[in-house]
């Protein structure tokens, strides 16, 4: 009986385990998260605010000048046209040849040569260097050619041609500016010294060759190359980009 009583007696419950606390739904602070600007010191906030304001003003001035440069004549362009041109040309000039009905049918190469002062005190003239061919070689097989390689020299020559007459006389301030631009580009390619001598004068020319018509066309075109040779220019300190940056 005792055995049966002991067997039928329910076991005493052991100590109960504490129930787990519900997980908190509040997000934990991320140690790597960026601190808000309000956490920065007052001088740091002022510096950031001034930087943003300067960038906004510069962007507004640039967009306004670019808009006025391509807009029809108005009161602002008539009163401040010279200042707008000084800012826009030649670096930010715009053209719309993408939408021209007739594509270019000529290959125009810009070439240059230099007159140097030799170490013995004499003078010598270098051969013509094809600057356009240099840009073409840099662009060929390059999936991401730079804007400078594609357009700097070409646009500079178009700028010159559009601001000079047949006698190579500059037409207004833009003509003189285009000459300075061409000289700086040439001197950037040549450098202060060429063929072991100091560059004293440079001369630029263009070689224009009409594109031959396709084989199936009956059109006849003379593909002879025509040269346009500019006068010699004496090199000054303003024509040397390295000297201007110092």
């Amino acid at each position: 009986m005792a055995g049966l009583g002991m067997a039928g007696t329910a076991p005493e419950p052991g100590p109960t385990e504490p129930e787990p606390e519900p997980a908190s739904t509040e997000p934990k602070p991320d140690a790597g998260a960026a601190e808000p600007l309000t956490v920065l010191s007052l001088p740091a906030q002022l510096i950031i605010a001034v930087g943003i304001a300067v960038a906004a003003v510069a962007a507004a001035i640039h967009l306004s000048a670019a808009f006025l440069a391509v807009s029809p004549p108005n009161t602002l362009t008539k009163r401040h046209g010279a200042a707008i041109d000084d800012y826009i040309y030649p670096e930010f000039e715009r053209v719309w040849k993408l939408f021209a009905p007739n594509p270019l049918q000529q290959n125009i190469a810009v070439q240059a040569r230099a007159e140097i002062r030799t170490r013995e005190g004499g003078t010598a003239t270098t051969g013509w260097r094809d600057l356009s061919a240099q840009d073409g070689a840099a662009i060929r097989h390059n999936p991401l050619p730079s804007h400078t390689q594609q357009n700097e020299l070409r646009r500079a020559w178009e700028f010159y041609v559009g601001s000079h007459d047949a006698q190579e006389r500059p037409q207004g301030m833009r003509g003189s500016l285009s000459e300075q631009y061409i000289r700086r580009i040439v001197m950037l390619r040549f450098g202060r010294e060429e063929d072991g001598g100091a560059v004293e004068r440079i001369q630029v020319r263009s070689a224009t060759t009409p594109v031959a018509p396709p084989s199936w066309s009956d059109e006849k075109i003379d593909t002879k190359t025509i040269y346009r040779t500019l006068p010699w220019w004496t090199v000054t300190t303003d024509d040397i980009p390295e000297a201007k940056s110092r």
Side-chain angles (χ1 to χ4, degrees):
M1 296 293 293
L4 294 174
M6 292 179 63
T9 304
E12 297 181 0
T16 58
E17 297 181 358
E19 296 182 359
E21 297 181 358
S24 175
T25 58
E26 297 182 358
K28 295 182 180 181
D30 187 1
E35 297 181 350
L37 294 179
T38 55
V39 180
L40 301 177
S41 62
L42 180 59
Q45 295 182 36
L46 291 176
I47 292 175
I48 294 176
V50 171
I52 294 175
V54 170
V57 171
I61 293 175
H62 176 77
L63 293 176
S64 299
F67 172 77
L68 292 173
V70 298
S71 64
N74 53 68
T75 304
L76 287 176
T77 56
K78 291 179 181 178
R79 181 176 301 177
H80 305 289
I84 295 173
D85 289 344
D86 288 343
Y87 176 79
I88 292 295
Y89 298 104
E91 286 81 4
F92 303 115
E93 184 181 6
R94 286 163 173 75
V95 293
W96 309 104
K97 288 187 176 180
L98 176 64
F99 308 101
N102 296 320
L104 295 177
Q105 299 179 355
Q106 299 172 327
N107 287 324
I108 302 176
V110 180
Q111 304 170 352
R113 64 178 178 177
E115 183 181 274
I116 63 174
R117 174 69 60 179
T118 63
R119 296 178 180 177
E120 294 76 16
T123 59
T125 302
T126 67
W128 289 102
R129 179 184 296 183
D130 195 333
L131 306 183
S132 297
Q134 293 178 350
D135 290 343
I139 294 172
R140 193 173 295 110
H141 307 305
N142 184 355
L144 297 173
S146 70
H147 176 76
T148 300
Q149 293 169 339
Q150 297 180 80
N151 299 317
E152 181 186 56
L153 182 61
R154 178 181 62 83
R155 293 295 299 120
W157 181 252
E158 291 177 355
F159 183 26
Y160 175 90
V161 173
S163 58
H164 284 72
D165 59 18
Q167 287 72 39
E168 310 300 345
R169 292 176 299 195
Q171 298 176 343
M173 183 184 64
R174 293 191 62 195
S176 301
L177 181 62
S178 68
E179 293 181 4
Q180 296 175 8
Y181 194 34
I182 285 285
R183 290 201 299 266
R184 291 180 186 179
I185 292 176
V186 173
M187 288 305 298
L188 185 63
R189 305 291 183 92
F190 276 90
R192 295 188 179 186
E193 295 186 357
E194 180 72 14
D195 292 345
V199 177
E200 293 188 336
R201 296 199 303 167
I202 56 175
Q203 189 176 33
V204 181
R205 75 176 183 182
S206 66
T208 303
T209 306
V211 177
S215 57
W216 45 262
S217 175
D218 296 333
E219 186 179 3
K220 302 298 181 180
I221 295 179
D222 186 3
T223 57
K224 180 182 178 181
T225 301
I226 300 175
Y227 295 93
R228 177 175 178 175
T229 305
L230 308 187
W232 283 94
W233 285 325
T234 301
V235 176
T236 65
T237 305
D238 292 338
D239 301 328
I240 303 174
E242 295 84 354
K244 291 290 291 183
S245 61
R246 294 180 179 177

